[in-house]
Amino acid sequence: MTADTYRIGMAIVIEALCVIVTLIALLDTVADFRGWPNVTENVDAWTQRNPWLARALVLFLFVLLAHFVLNPLPRG
Amino acid sequence: MNAPARHRAQAIGSHLFHIAITVGVFASGTAIAVLVWRADTPPSCVYTIDRLPDPWLFVIGVVAFVIGHYIGVVLPDRPPKSTDASVKAGRAAMVLVFFGATLVWIFEAVGTAQIALASGAKLEPITYYTRCAIYFDADFTGGAFTRIAIFGIFLIAGHWFWSDALTRRTAKP
């Protein structure tokens, strides 16, 4: 029996992404209150220290995008 | 308004902006998740028109990535000095990001294995839900949310990982 799990699966994916983005936004808020470098500035410094890792991450993101949007959804 | 008062007003405005963004992201994301969970969608990911592959969605990602980079060129960051606490917070953030990524990959592993739930339903890989969401979005809004999401993600990626400072350093003789 294969019942579709779109609603619960999609809800979990959305909530997981939401929690990750909320934690990043929360950290940015703490940095703002304490006068620390914000998330963008920290990531920028990391990118300068690790240029090849940053390029690999960008490549991974574009491969992921291509995987999602340049392939069809198989008819079930 | 004198300079100290202006700086204080700017700081309060910045604090309120950050709090609003944090609360807004969590509230809207959770609301969308609940709406999707309770939505009256078709019983399975059925469709009559093939929405994918769509090369224009990939082009949107490339364009947003380049724009994200040039935002950093036009509006460069002027970071305050790092402190021990801020360095520790930065490391904690990286741990959180990798922890979140680990949870996502665990879900992907469970979905790929198509493990059945107690109800008999099977979880699918993230790819399935993502493509299915693109199809539903194309039907309901003409694909607006898909384009906005791709544009936003790659705008941030271009701003963060194609660093303006990195370009300047590479161009140095």
Side-chain angles (χ1 to χ4, degrees), chain B residues 53-125:
Chain B
D54 185 352
W56 285 109
L57 294 177
F58 190 82
V59 171
I60 288 172
V62 173
V63 170
F65 186 76
V66 173
I67 292 174
H69 167 66
Y70 280 101
I71 287 175
V73 173
V74 175
L75 302 167
D77 295 323
R78 294 181 186 80
K81 202 170 182 299
S82 293
T83 64
D84 284 346
S86 74
V87 170
K88 282 177 186 163
R91 286 175 186 156
M94 292 302 284
V95 170
L96 274 179
V97 167
F98 281 104
F99 178 71
T102 304
L103 291 181
V104 170
W105 286 115
I106 288 172
F107 184 88
E108 179 72 359
V110 171
T112 307
Q114 295 204 308
I115 294 170
L117 302 176
S119 63
K122 287 178 181 171
L123 287 173
E124 300 280 351

Side-chain angles (χ1 to χ4, degrees), chain A residues 4-49:
Chain A
D4 193 86
T5 54
Y6 172 77
R7 285 181 303 173
I8 184 67
M10 200 65 216
I12 291 172
V13 170
I14 290 171
E15 191 58 31
L17 289 174
C18 169
V19 167
I20 293 170
V21 175
T22 301
L23 288 174
I24 293 172
L26 190 64
L27 184 70
D28 214 34
T29 304
V30 172
D32 183 62
F33 270 87
R34 292 181 173 262
W36 293 346
N38 63 27
V39 173
T40 301
E41 289 154 353
N42 273 305
V43 173
D44 193 59
W46 177 85
T47 303
Q48 288 174 60
R49 287 195 307 271

Side-chain angles (χ1 to χ4, degrees), chain B residues 96-161:
Chain B
L96 274 179
V97 167
F98 281 104
F99 178 71
T102 304
L103 291 181
V104 170
W105 286 115
I106 288 172
F107 184 88
E108 179 72 359
V110 171
T112 307
Q114 295 204 308
I115 294 170
L117 302 176
S119 63
K122 287 178 181 171
L123 287 173
E124 300 280 351
I126 294 171
T127 309
Y128 171 84
Y129 298 116
T130 307
R131 289 198 192 124
C132 196
I134 291 172
Y135 276 67
F136 280 137
D137 183 41
D139 285 343
F140 293 134
T141 71
F145 282 110
T146 303
R147 294 192 187 98
I148 290 170
I150 292 174
F151 190 86
I153 290 167
F154 281 85
L155 189 81
I156 291 172
H159 188 51
W160 280 3
F161 300 121

Side-chain angles (χ1 to χ4, degrees), chain A residues 56-66, chain B residues 58 65 153-154 157-158 161:
Chain A
L57 196 58
V58 167
L59 178 68
F60 175 73
L61 279 175
F62 274 106
V63 168
L64 210 55
L65 179 64
Chain B
F58 190 82
F65 186 76
I153 290 167
F154 281 85
F161 300 121

